[in-house]
Amino acid sequence: MVSRARHEAVLIVAVAVALVCTAAVTVIALSEARGAATAGGWTISSSGRYRPQARIVDIAAVGGSDVWAVGAESVSEEPLSYGVPVLTHWDGARWTRVAPQTLPLPYGELNGISMVSGSEVWATGRLGPTAGEQRGPYVLRHDGMSWGAVPVTGLPQVGHLLPAAVRGRTWMAVAGSPVVATYTGKGWRAESLGEHVRISSITARSEDDAWVVGDRLGRAYAAHWDGGVWEALPPPTGRGVILSDVHAASATEVWAVGGEFGVNRPVLLHWDGRAWERLAVPLEHGDLSAVTAASGGRVWVAGTDRERPDRPLILRSAGRRWTKSYGPVPSGTDHVSVNALTRADGTERVWLAGSTGGGKARWGRDLILRTADPGR
């Protein structure tokens, strides 16, 4: 089981709205639409399910019928404002949303999710403002039956938390900072990876095998946890490269993606256990924002193509050969944001989370794609 989380480069904002609370309603179940759009081997699993200006920020799976996704609805581009959290579960047949009024944070956003098993799921977010004051991060844990709040003692009160949980250990990286914290059972023990480090993603395979990526002083940054210390292993990419996501399929198959800013070139890196290598991809200009993989060189990468901003770009590799395709979107879409990819161990089902927009709406609709069933 591999756990990972990443942070979007865009500013995450939302507007506070009124909730209509009905005590008897705790979940909202919605099946996939019949005849859902399919393209490039992908199907729309969920889109436009929530109020306008909604988006899915992260997604995690431990099986074909056990998937959690998080995000927010009623998103606005007004600074320092918050909306309503989205927390939804796929059981193999339908998406079931946990009603916001049953959560400890009825206003705010959820921006990270990590699964150890069906009975251990971690979610992170930020509380909305109360009495005009902006409030800090929040951590939730699911025990297979219900969601409960986890103390945030020891965690910085600024920045978005990126969770990575495996059996026996849970990390929280603070996006845009050098801080990584470990859960002690009562609170969090934080440490810094060094001055000027800005973490954007964390992934873990076991309690003694984890990675973070991001940037440091305008250069790509990566560090590995071996069970005792974090060791910096920065890729030799030169200046102007920021890494957005990382995934470890094995000790010798670690993948990182990002972009070369200023020239809008995609960056794909592979760690073979000894060194990083930058790989060529069939994309001249665009951003790579999410990656997942299985052992044996099967890799999925997603992002946006500057020439096709209205469709999610998906690259797939079996070995060293890469194929390019574009996922389906709702009608009226003219731009997309790809936020996360995940694959459950033991399956070939891959999930993509993001949002779509049209016209002046930056984030118009929530979007979840999955790889299509055979024969579709």
Side-chain angles (χ1 to χ4, degrees):
M1 173 65 196
V2 176
S3 177
R4 37 77 58 208
R6 62 170 295 277
H7 171 65
E8 291 182 281
V10 299
L11 175 66
I12 299 177
V13 290
V15 61
V17 298
L19 278 175
V20 178
C21 296
T22 305
V25 178
T26 59
V27 296
I28 305 164
L30 294 165
S31 301
E32 287 185 346
R34 292 189 177 185
T38 299
W42 292 74
T43 294
I44 295 179
S45 183
S46 178
S47 178
R49 296 282 175 94
Y50 311 114
R51 280 179 279 197
Q53 298 300 91
R55 63 211 188 90
I56 302 298
V57 181
D58 203 6
I59 191 166
V62 294
S65 59
D66 196 357
V67 184
W68 284 95
V70 297
E73 67 178 355
S74 300
V75 176
S76 168
E77 297 197 28
E78 293 297 325
L80 302 180
S81 55
Y82 289 80
V84 180
V86 169
L87 178 62
T88 185
H89 179 258
W90 172 259
D91 64 3
R94 62 186 56 83
W95 287 99
T96 301
R97 182 183 182 181
V98 179
Q101 61 265 31
T102 67
L103 295 172
L105 63 164
Y107 294 104
E109 63 187 14
L110 288 169
N111 47 50
I113 188 84
S114 182
M115 300 183 69
V116 178
S117 65
S119 59
E120 186 178 354
V121 187
W122 295 77
T124 60
R126 292 191 64 81
L127 290 168
T130 299
E133 296 182 2
Q134 188 176 351
R135 299 181 64 181
Y138 215 87
V139 178
L140 301 176
R141 186 180 184 277
H142 191 260
D143 61 6
M145 298 294 292
S146 62
W147 288 92
V150 176
V152 295
T153 305
L155 289 173
Q157 294 302 296
V158 296
H160 296 281
L161 300 178
L162 310 174
V166 295
R167 199 169 302 280
R169 195 176 189 102
T170 300
W171 289 271
M172 293 287 168
V174 181
S177 86
V179 177
V180 180
T182 305
Y183 189 55
T184 65
K186 296 182 179 180
W188 300 85
R189 183 177 63 251
E191 62 179 302
S192 173
L193 300 190
E195 192 176 8
H196 304 302
V197 171
R198 300 191 305 173
I199 298 171
S200 58
S201 179
I202 183 170
T203 187
R205 295 181 56 248
S206 67
E207 56 184 328
D208 58 3
D209 188 4
W211 288 84
V212 297
V213 298
D215 71 285
R216 182 179 184 275
L217 297 175
R219 297 177 183 269
Y221 177 85
H224 177 249
W225 169 261
D226 63 5
V229 297
W230 286 97
E231 178 185 6
L233 297 167
T237 57
R239 295 189 63 84
V241 173
I242 297 177
L243 298 180
S244 302
D245 197 17
V246 61
H247 183 93
S250 71
T252 59
E253 292 180 90
V254 182
W255 303 87
V257 297
E260 189 175 346
F261 292 89
V263 292
N264 196 217
R265 290 199 186 99
V267 174
L268 172 64
L269 301 172
H270 175 252
W271 172 264
D272 64 3
R274 299 182 301 275
W276 289 101
E277 178 186 6
R278 184 169 177 174
L279 304 179
V281 294
L283 177 66
E284 184 175 359
H285 295 288
D287 296 317
L288 301 181
S289 53
V291 59
T292 190
S295 59
R298 292 170 296 155
V299 187
W300 294 260
V301 175
T304 54
D305 182 345
R306 192 173 71 178
E307 303 301 320
R308 293 290 306 274
D310 61 330
R311 301 277 293 277
L313 165 75
I314 300 157
L315 306 177
R316 183 174 180 181
S317 171
R320 292 281 177 149
R321 182 180 178 184
W322 292 90
T323 58
K324 180 170 67 173
S325 63
Y326 297 90
V329 293
S331 60
T333 296
D334 61 27
H335 56 276
V336 300
S337 175
V338 175
N339 298 332
L341 283 175
T342 193
R343 184 195 67 89
D345 290 344
T347 77
E348 290 297 305
R349 176 60 51 83
V350 180
W351 299 84
L352 179 151
S355 63
T356 65
K360 296 182 180 179
R362 184 176 185 182
W363 300 304
R365 292 182 176 181
D366 48 285
L367 180 68
I368 299 177
L369 305 183
R370 63 171 176 83
T371 46
D373 297 325
R376 291 194 65 178

